[in-house]
Amino acid sequence: WKEVKTDLNAAAETLYTSLECVRIAAILLSPVMPQKMQLLLSQIGIKESKFSQATTIGILPAGTAIHKADALFPRIEASILTQ
């Protein structure tokens, strides 16, 4: 967050690159967790994706709005694990 205060354009580029990494990871994990990865992709504004898009950077439109979302994998309380 220091970068936001000193260089807003660099911060935007960092966040964009991070979202592209999340998008690519979601596509690659979609055969293993199809529902969760579809939910993740929709949270970052991707309605449709193809496996071949995992090799392309720059699919997300610049300025894509990201909204607060629920956790994909809710925390499991330790008390449940010890039962």
Side-chain angles (χ1 to χ4, degrees):
W1 295 118
K2 291 179 184 179
E3 194 172 48
V4 170
K5 296 176 184 174
T6 59
D7 189 349
L8 193 56
N9 288 333
E13 188 173 330
T14 299
L15 289 173
Y16 180 82
T17 302
S18 299
L19 280 175
E20 277 291 290
C21 292
V22 168
R23 180 189 64 80
I24 290 168
I27 291 171
L28 293 175
L29 287 169
S30 63
V32 180
M33 298 182 277
Q35 291 88 6
K36 291 292 185 179
M37 294 305 104
Q38 185 57 45
L39 178 60
L40 175 57
L41 288 167
S42 70
Q43 289 174 346
I44 61 171
I46 301 292
K47 293 179 179 26
E48 231 177 82
S49 66
K50 297 178 184 168
F51 202 74
S52 62
Q53 292 174 327
T55 60
T56 306
I57 294 178
I59 300 276
L60 280 173
T64 298
I66 305 300
H67 305 286
K68 185 170 175 64
D70 293 331
L72 287 176
F73 303 99
R75 182 181 301 247
I76 298 174
E77 297 300 325
S79 61
I80 293 173
L81 296 175
T82 57
Q83 292 178 356

